[in-house]
Amino acid sequence: MNQSDAVERLFLIIQKYLGENPDKVLNYLPPKAMAETLGLDAPRPAGDMEQLFSEIENYLQYSVRTGHSQYLNQLWSGFSMPVFMGEVISALCNTSMYTYEVAPVALLIERKMIAELLQIIGFTAGEGQFTTGGSNGNMLAMMIARNRAVEDCKKRGIHGVPLVGFVSEDAHYSFDKAANILGLGTNSLVKVPIDHTSTMNPVLLEKAIFDAKAAGNIPFFVGATAGTTIRGTFDDLTTIGAVARQNDMWFHVDGAWGGSVLLSSARDQHLAAIEEADSLVWDAHKMMGMTLMCSLFAVREKGHFDDVLKLGDTSYIFHEDDDLVDPGLLSLQCGRRNDILKFWLEWCYTGKEGYQKRIDNFMSLIAYARAKVVADPKLELVDENGILSVCFRYTDDQISDLNAFNIDVRRDLYEAGASFVNYSYLGEIAVIRLVISNKNVGKPDIDRFFENFDKQARAKLLDIRSDS
Ligand SMILES: Cc1ncc(COP(=O)(O)O)c(C=O)c1O
């Protein structure tokens, strides 16, 4: 089969997939049955294009449809044609985002997008880079803070300097990973309790900093979260930022999930004073609908990337004879994927106004879902503060173990392919966490989700009754 026929075949398969409107989010099979169905242990004939199309069809048939309107599980979802086109063309022109020489168009687009996003944040004299994700950005923030706090850290490491960082108990686990990777150890990361607003308690933050100093440690980093992973709340950036500055600490904002609220009309309500932070992570692959990955790490002042990340003999790759400084000199990795073309195409297509409507809509859909929970006597709203998520559970006097019941219902829904939603624990309570990041989800989809959930829960309840 020649290339042109193969392209045609491939696009026919894609067209068919996109044209389908299946009821189910996935065709679930348990791992063993899935492996058998895919026949992964059988030898494959080399050089057989037909075989590849059958592999692709199997892949599509059994993969989760993350663009489905009942896929409400992770913080990323949905399908967008401009993004898809960007991915295809990026793969077609495979390049690495380290030098202008190999990625002239992509790098200029990236520079333009970074400038645009820095303006939106309010980091008007700052700099930014696209990384492998929010986890990576959180680590970079902590790394810059570490090197700022420890003299000559680049060469000597932390050489026993007793650094302590602070995040809320609801912060993303990537901060623990960062503390580990950066040689600080997870004991050096204090988890500040949240208060009645489900956000970091600034009074307890101050106390924890005071205690750390009293114990002879050096507070160096505060990470606030704008859009917590489970409850979907926003730490008070104004107050926490002031505490960080008073104590000469680096103030980072993890906006991996909620950074996109910068584009919404609720920006001032949830992200006031963000422009005073030292750094920010903002995942465009979450609420902005990019395919994984597409994540900005930005700092308020220039020079930190150069100070912390520029290292080693790179003369074989960076010839620096173009006036655009090769960004690869300042990133953590060497080769770097082109995550920008898809973003650029979607940005051109949707525009700032389009994004404002989209993010506003996500928040009003969450408010709609919350109201449905509150109105249903069988459902309990476990956290009242979520802006970007609804955490709830099903209750009934006949259920002896509410945690197990809710986890089972969620699993049944998933295996049936009816709706795909996540669960987590808030303290001891297992909650269903509903989130929305798919631009094509609307109120009827939220209604359908609750109908599906209710149906599955009632079926489970009937089982319990018939067993007892
Ligand atoms: C608040 C928060 N920070 C960071 C991350 C990590 O982001 P990524 O998956 O891009 O590494 C997540 C992921 O969900 C998150 O919710």
Side-chain angles (χ1 to χ4, degrees), residues 227-301:
T228 51
T229 312
I230 311 302
R231 298 177 201 259
T233 59
F234 289 76
D235 285 341
D236 174 354
L237 306 184
T238 309
T239 311
I240 297 172
V243 172
R245 276 187 295 281
Q246 275 154 24
N247 290 282
D248 189 29
M249 299 160 78
W250 185 268
F251 178 44
H252 171 66
V253 177
D254 175 4
W257 176 215
S260 301
V261 170
L262 278 165
L263 298 163
S264 79
S265 48
R267 172 197 171 120
D268 292 345
Q269 197 183 340
H270 302 305
L271 295 168
I274 196 166
E275 66 283 354
E276 290 165 17
D278 291 304
S279 56
L280 170 72
V281 155
W282 175 0
D283 275 358
H285 63 250
K286 292 194 165 82
M287 253 185 271
M288 291 185 82
M290 297 308 123
T291 44
L292 295 151
M293 308 297 283
C294 190
S295 177
L296 178 78
F297 173 61
V299 287
R300 183 169 42 82
E301 285 174 354

Side-chain angles (χ1 to χ4, degrees), residues 150-161:
V150 178
E151 209 186 336
D152 217 10
C153 187
K154 221 166 164 180
K155 285 198 188 126
R156 299 176 60 207
I158 59 170
H159 56 272
V161 178

Side-chain angles (χ1 to χ4, degrees), residues 79-144:
F79 175 84
S80 163
M81 190 45 84
V83 173
F84 176 69
M85 294 190 321
E87 280 285 20
V88 172
I89 301 305
S90 298
L92 185 68
C93 298
N94 180 38
T95 193
S96 175
M97 300 291 284
Y98 42 38
T99 62
Y100 181 79
E101 268 189 358
V102 295
V105 187
L107 281 193
L108 287 182
I109 291 175
E110 188 178 66
R111 190 158 76 160
K112 162 84 186 148
M113 276 307 295
I114 289 172
E116 190 113 21
L117 297 174
L118 288 173
Q119 282 297 323
I120 290 169
I121 300 163
F123 285 178
T124 44
E127 59 186 337
Q129 57 176 270
F130 279 83
T131 68
T132 57
S135 303
N136 182 267
N138 285 338
M139 190 197 67
L140 282 171
M142 208 185 268
M143 185 172 166
I144 293 173

Side-chain angles (χ1 to χ4, degrees), residues 18-198:
L18 291 175
E20 292 163 354
N21 187 15
D23 234 28
K24 288 165 69 167
V25 187
L26 81 158
N27 297 310
Y28 174 75
L29 287 176
K32 199 155 168 272
M34 181 72 90
E36 275 164 20
T37 304
L38 299 175
L40 292 180
D41 290 333
R44 305 300 206 251
D48 183 350
M49 280 304 253
E50 284 303 331
Q51 174 66 27
L52 303 193
F53 290 116
S54 113
E55 302 283 343
I56 290 170
E57 275 170 345
N58 267 343
Y59 185 91
L60 291 176
Q61 187 177 352
Y62 292 105
S63 290
V64 174
R65 284 198 176 243
T66 60
H68 194 289
S69 60
Q70 287 302 303
Y71 179 80
L72 304 159
N73 182 53
Q74 245 88 34
L75 306 182
W76 47 267
S77 62
F79 175 84
S80 163
M81 190 45 84
V83 173
F84 176 69
M85 294 190 321
E87 280 285 20
V88 172
I89 301 305
S90 298
L92 185 68
C93 298
N94 180 38
T95 193
S96 175
M97 300 291 284
Y98 42 38
T99 62
Y100 181 79
E101 268 189 358
V102 295
V105 187
L107 281 193
L108 287 182
I109 291 175
E110 188 178 66
R111 190 158 76 160
K112 162 84 186 148
M113 276 307 295
I114 289 172
E116 190 113 21
L117 297 174
L118 288 173
Q119 282 297 323
I120 290 169
I121 300 163
F123 285 178
T124 44
E127 59 186 337
Q129 57 176 270
F130 279 83
T131 68
T132 57
S135 303
N136 182 267
N138 285 338
M139 190 197 67
L140 282 171
M142 208 185 268
M143 185 172 166
I144 293 173
R146 179 197 68 177
N147 287 26
R148 172 180 174 268
V150 178
E151 209 186 336
D152 217 10
C153 187
K154 221 166 164 180
K155 285 198 188 126
R156 299 176 60 207
I158 59 170
H159 56 272
V161 178
L163 299 181
V164 185
F166 302 81
V167 293
S168 95
E169 61 175 317
D170 272 4
H172 191 253
Y173 69 89
S174 51
F175 286 109
D176 294 288
K177 292 205 174 203
N180 174 27
I181 295 165
L182 296 172
L184 310 172
T186 53
N187 284 349
S188 308
L189 192 64
V190 174
K191 304 283 175 63
V192 180
I194 57 171
D195 61 19
H196 65 284
T197 63
S198 307

